[in-house]
Each structure stands twice: as structure tokens, then as C-alpha cells.
Amino acid sequence: MFHWLEQRPFFFAVGVFLVFSFAGIVEIIPNFAKQAQPLVGTKPYTVLELAGKNLYIKENCNSCHSQMIRPFKSETDRYGMYSLSGEYAYDRPFLWGSKRTGPDLMRVGNYRTTDWHEHHMLDPAGTVSGSIMPKYGHMFSNIVEIDNAYGEAVTVKKVFNTPYDYDIDGDGAVDVPLGSYEEAKAHAFSQAKEIVADMKSESVKDAIVNGEIPEIVAIIAYMNSLK
Amino acid sequence: MQASTRVEYDYSVVKAFTFTTILFGIIGMLIGVILSFQMAFPSLNNLAGEYRTFGRMRPLHTNGVAFGFALSGIFASWYYISQRVLKVSLRESPFLMKIAKLHFALYFITILLAVVTLILGISSGKEYAELAWPLDLLVVVWWVLWGVSIFGLIGIRRERTLYISIWYFIAAFLAVSALYIFNAMAIPTALFSGYGDFMHSVSMYAGTNDALVEWWFGHNAVGFVFTVPLVGMIYYFLPKESGQYIYSYKLSIVSFWGLVFVYVWAGGHHLLYSTVPDWIQTMGSVMSVLLILPSWGSAINMFLTMKGEWQQLQTSPLIKLMIMASTFYMLSTIEGPIQSIKSVNAIAHFTDWIPGHVHDGALGWVAFMVMAALFHMAPRIFKKEIYSRSLIETQFWLQTIGIVLYFSSMWIAGITQGMMWRAYDEYGSLVYSFIDTVNVLSPYFTIRAIGGLLYMIGFFMFAWNMYKTVTAGRELEKESPNASPIAAR
């Protein structure tokens, strides 16, 4: 049979493709749709948090930080409750990472503050003695445009029914508002102002007053949302 | 053998891909060495502002060596091996010649664009699949062109039976097509919503599903880019260089079909103890262990091919490179399954043992095999004698020592950190804060960086040797059937 196949490239290729496809089909088809259902109470990212998440991807933070707490006592003691599938329902792409050069960040919002992040991003080794993390001073001067995040939020709302402008927990109020571009921008600024209130950098405060959001504000918004 | 004397093979595309193999090898390895020194000496991170942090440069390294260096070497080998084992020249078909040239041109442009976009931080965020969606589309175009070239050349072949190497190239083409397309599925947000950057997109899959698709892809990108075509290459170059027959046809059948079937399941071992279903994790673990059989099958077939001719290890540095490549292939295909066992993975996952394992395979197996292939092809495509034997010898030992330093330091670093993360004192509290487990790694990071540096110096010697072969090698009048001619300097 094999010798027969080796003289007939078409059937050989079909054979290879079938043998190759088997695992993918068995692994993906049975419950692919169910796996990414949100937990009760899981909310999508606000536009500012989404902008921060895009910065997290841009700087490739996930090459050194995981967002996956495994169900071991040594991990739950260190990072908090182990991860559940539904918590990632709005993570496109997933950011579990594959290497912990730095600690896990899945629930960093529970135990680090805006103030801590501000110091740490500027001077990691000055905050955690011996840290090998690069300095991210440029995030204090670079300005983030929320257009990208807004475009992404609109896209996932329409295509994947991500619950923006929706009463998720049934308390009668919209949980994560999106609205028009102007409304989204206004929401982003009001969230940015809350964060900046806890920060020390004068230049960052000035930027917000001048209608610009420095990258550091967006990344802190994202860090604080990780709970 | 009569046909081969009549067919005039065309090596123009082989030469072009040989050039990019060396170019992207130098760039990719240089960035890798910089990254390794950054981990040992973190102040090196901020020498060029935001563009030189570890995070920004890591995808450049991984994409550069995988899709720049290794893939170029694979394409060069394909255009060389295919003509010879199918007994047909690219010159016989002007159409396929054009396709091959277009394949090279688009490939080269894509990799250059990849360098620019990645350093700017334009990334999909998925490991080994960071390229933005327009680049993904470009990749699909030249990948399809490669497919046209594969099946086109097969279509006009004179040799009816497909040689083992061709099986592996077909498998690589088909598997990577499916993997790449499914994993890269994304919606360009600017086109959809009218807001934001043109290059930005959002993944079609969310959370756990995205992870599942990503590691189904990610593991098999390693499998079907780094393993499958390379096995195809050694099945051609080792018997050619040594003048020996492949030891066992049956073993090659079992290994090939076994590999194609089992490999795809193993992606689950990247997701052990995560939120993907338990049965997928268990399958990933079991199939990874099973993967030893087809992997070692090929490697053992290579060793047995050398049966009775082991003195060639002394006489031919190229045989030495290939046998060392096979040895590292065996090492990394036993190490991988060990790391896939759930209880071992609990310690190894997220640690430096994983990059250590990757580099056993990438430096020891892939890069050694690619360099051996280029050395074997050089006298035949350039009609020149290889410039220096002693350079190959020195390169071989420098690089071997480099790899040993690399993986032994990463073994120690990984297991040390994995054990420290889970250490409890007598009162039931964690002994070490996270930073303690980082600081202890510093000497191992330094050893690894030195290992990488040695390897890179060896690669520079290889590049220099190739350059001198083309520019200053002795002209050859006729092609050597087996052992490649190497000048004794």
C-alpha cells in the first residue's frame, strides 16, 4: 500500500492530510464552542483597559509574564485563586504566556496599586531590588490613541456579541458602556482621571489636562483590571 | 543514473535562499545573543530606548531564526533536493521557474517587513505567530507559491516513485498551511469599524479556545517547520554525503506516518494544568511520550545508515555535523516527552528549562543540519571547493561546547527555579519571594549567554567559510558523487 501511495502524489497528499487532521478535529470539534463562555459576572475590558492590553501586547509583556495560575497550593498562595476558563472569555488573544521570567499577573490588580506600578514601571530595580525587568520610562511620554481600542471594542461587540452597553449583572444599569466614539473617549478620560489622581508624575497629570492619555495610564488601567 | 547526466539542474533559487539563510542566521542569532546578555545584565535593555527591550526584540529573534534562517535553509534544500530526486530541472518549465523566483522575492520582502513591524511593536500577541494580518496574507501567498512549486515539479517528474525526502516536504507544506491559516484567523478592526490602525486585528478565538488553537499551531510549527522538513533533508544529505544506502525503508515508513499522526496531538503538553479540558491535557501528555517512537525511528535509521562506515566521522566534517545533529535530535526528542509528563511539567513549565529544551533542538539539530546541507550543496551549486576544513572543525567544536553550556545551565536554572517556587517552610508558608528565585539564576544566565556567544562565533565562521568558498574556492570541473570536496587549509 505504501509503495502504491509513493507513486501517486495526489493520494499520498490526501493521505497525509487525513492523518494529520485527525487530532485537530477530535480536539477541537467536541466542545470548542463551550469552553470560552464567560463566568457569571465576568465583564469585558473598558476602552482604556483595552488600550492598555494592546500596549501589553505591543511591549510583549507576555514573553516574560504569565496570566495562568495553576491549581497548586504554591501558586494559589502566591498569586491567588487558580484560573478558570470563563475568566478569559473576553481575552482576544489569550495572554497566558509560556515563561515566568517575572511573576504571574493574572490577579495583579488585587495586590498592587497604581502608585506601586508608577514607581515600578519607571525603575523596576529601584522598586524590587534585583529585578531584571527593563525600565519603561517611555510609557510616561508616549501618548496612546484610543481609536485602536475603540475600533476593537466595536468589532468584538458586533461580531462576537461581547456585552458592551449591556446590563450584565441584572442590576438595571449598563456595566461597561461603549457608545459612540465621543462617548467612549469621555469614559476613557474619566477613568484615566481616577488613575492619575493616585499618581505622582506631574507631566502625566498635565497631559491628561491637555486632553492626552500617556501610555502609562492605560497600562495601569489594564493592570488594575486584572483580578 | 543516466537521466541525471542529461538533466541540467538550475540552482539560481537555491543560491538566493542560501544567501538569506546566512543573512537571517546572522541577524537572528545576534539578536538572540543580545537577549541572553540582557537577562544576565539587565541594564543592557535600555540602550536604545523602547526599541531594544527584551520584549520588543524577542519576536525578532524567534521569527528571525525560525522563519528567516531555518525556513530559508529548508527552501534552499527543497529547490536542490527536489530537482535531483525527481530527476527534473526547473529550467524545463519556465512557469515553475517564475513561481520559484516569485516565491523567493515575496518571502524576502515579508521577512524584511516582519523585522520592521515587530521592532515597532506591531504584533498579534500570539507566540511564534506575531505577524500582523497583512503580513499573514503575504505569507499565505508565498506559501501557496511553494505548494505550486512542490506539486508542479512532482507533476513533471521523471522518477516515478517519490523519495522519502519528498514525503516530508509534502507533509510540511500541507500541515503548516492548515496550522497557519486556522491560527491566524483574525478580524482587522480598522476595516470593520472604521477606527484605529490599519494593521490592528482581533483574534477570532477567545481565551481558552485561543490558547488551544495557538498551541495546536505553536507546537506543530515547531514540528512541521523545525522537524519534518529537516528529517527530509537528512534523509537526502546523509546518504549522499556518506555514499551509504538508507538502512531501512520500513523504518522510514513507520517513522514518517507515525510522526504525521502523533505530532499534532502533542500541542496539549503546552497547556498542562491550564483551563483546557483535562482529556486534552492527558492526550497531549500521552502522545508526547509516544512521539519518542517515530522521532527515534528516524534518528536510529540515520545511525544505522552509517553502519560499517563510522570512520567517516574522522574523515568528513560534514558527516560529523549531521551525526551530531541526529544525536541532538534524539536528545531533544527524549527531553520533550520527559517535560510533558504532568508531574515533571508542574516543575518545568514557565521556567528556563523550556527555552533550554528548545535550543537543544534548534541549535543542535536544526541549525547543525541546515549548515551541513548548505556545506553539501555549496560545491555543487557554486562548482567550488569548500574553502577551509579547519574552519569547519573549529566551528563544530565551538558550537558543540556552546550548546552544552546552553542546555546544562538552563537545566539547572529551570529545575532550581521550579523547586524554589514550590518550597514551603515548616510553618506552611512559601520560603522564597519571587525575586529570590530570579536572583539565584544570574550565574546560569551568564553561562547561557556565553554558550550562545560561542555558538554565534561558530556561525560567523560558517558564514565566512561559505563566503570564501564562493569568492576564493578552487574551481571544480566535475561534481563529486559523494563526499564534498573540502580544501585542507
Side-chain angles (χ1 to χ4, degrees), chain B residues 8 44 48 199 201 212 309 345 427:
Chain B
E8 270 295 313
L44 294 171
M199 301 289 258
S201 65
L212 197 56
E309 281 292 317
N345 191 270
Y427 307 108

Side-chain angles (χ1 to χ4, degrees), chain A residues 35-66:
Chain A
Q35 278 172 46
Q37 295 302 311
L39 292 183
V40 174
T42 306
K43 289 172 189 163
Y45 298 101
T46 68
V47 168
L48 187 65
E49 290 159 8
L50 211 50
K53 182 166 173 283
N54 287 336
L55 288 170
Y56 189 90
I57 293 168
K58 179 183 176 187
E59 299 293 355
N60 203 3
C61 306
N62 48 316
S63 70
C64 291
H65 292 282
S66 60

Side-chain angles (χ1 to χ4, degrees), chain A residues 13-29:
Chain A
V14 170
V16 168
F17 196 73
L18 290 178
V19 172
F20 159 81
S21 305
F22 187 67
I25 291 168
V26 173
E27 284 181 340
I28 287 171
I29 286 179

Side-chain angles (χ1 to χ4, degrees), chain A residues 6-7 32 60 70 73-74 77-78 85 91-94 98-100 130 135 138 142 148 151-152, chain B residues 46 50 55 127 157 160-162 167 193 197 200 204 207-210 249 350 352 421 424 432 439:
Chain A
E6 283 150 27
Q7 297 185 337
F32 194 69
N60 203 3
R70 297 178 292 173
K73 185 168 185 296
S74 59
D77 279 2
R78 200 182 287 279
S85 183
D91 277 7
R92 297 173 188 268
F94 81 112
S98 58
K99 177 77 176 30
R100 275 184 197 150
K135 295 174 180 175
H138 63 267
N142 287 1
N148 237 0
E152 185 176 327
Chain B
N46 295 88
E50 63 181 286
E127 213 175 345
R157 73 194 188 279
R160 183 147 186 252
T161 304
L162 302 179
W167 312 349
S193 70
D197 297 332
H200 190 70
M204 285 282 280
T208 302
N209 287 347
D210 199 37
Y249 167 64
F350 292 133
D352 285 290
W421 282 343
Y424 278 96
Y432 303 103
N439 291 340

Side-chain angles (χ1 to χ4, degrees), chain B residues 241 379-380 384-386 474 476 480 482-487:
Chain B
E241 183 71 25
R380 287 149 181 107
K384 299 270 179 70
E385 189 179 48
I386 295 173
R474 187 171 61 85
L476 295 172
S480 158
N482 299 118
S484 304
I486 304 171

Side-chain angles (χ1 to χ4, degrees), chain B residues 92-262:
Chain B
E92 293 172 55
S93 165
F95 170 72
L96 288 178
M97 192 72 221
K98 277 201 196 92
I99 292 284
K101 286 186 171 158
L102 192 59
H103 171 202
F104 172 76
L106 287 179
Y107 164 82
F108 192 53
I109 291 168
T110 309
I111 303 291
L112 292 182
L113 287 175
V115 172
V116 177
T117 53
L118 289 174
I119 203 84
L120 289 174
I122 300 171
S123 160
S124 76
K126 291 171 91 165
E127 213 175 345
Y128 311 117
E130 288 91 351
L131 300 187
W133 69 270
L135 293 187
D136 280 338
L137 290 180
L138 261 179
V139 171
V140 170
V141 171
W142 53 255
W143 196 260
V144 169
L145 289 176
W146 187 42
V148 173
S149 152
I150 292 177
F151 290 103
L153 273 173
I154 289 175
I156 58 170
R157 73 194 188 279
R158 290 201 181 77
E159 171 59 54
R160 183 147 186 252
T161 304
L162 302 179
Y163 179 63
I164 307 170
S165 302
I166 303 290
W167 312 349
Y168 281 95
F169 282 110
I170 291 176
F173 168 74
L174 291 174
V176 176
S177 310
L179 295 165
Y180 197 90
I181 290 172
F182 278 106
N183 187 46
M185 294 288 258
I187 302 169
T189 53
L191 291 189
F192 188 87
S193 70
Y195 290 94
D197 297 332
F198 178 70
M199 301 289 258
H200 190 70
S201 65
V202 61
S203 173
M204 285 282 280
Y205 320 107
T208 302
N209 287 347
D210 199 37
L212 197 56
V213 176
E214 159 67 15
W215 284 111
W216 170 74
F217 160 83
H219 181 71
N220 296 299
V222 176
F224 286 89
V225 176
F226 267 8
T227 303
V228 167
L230 273 298
V231 176
M233 284 155 68
I234 200 167
Y235 264 112
Y236 176 83
F237 289 115
L238 187 73
K240 260 303 204 194
E241 183 71 25
S242 64
Q244 291 283 92
Y245 290 108
I246 290 292
Y247 176 76
S248 164
Y249 167 64
K250 280 183 188 155
L251 194 51
S252 68
I253 292 178
V254 174
S255 305
F256 174 77
W257 291 97
L259 196 71
V260 173
F261 179 74
V262 180

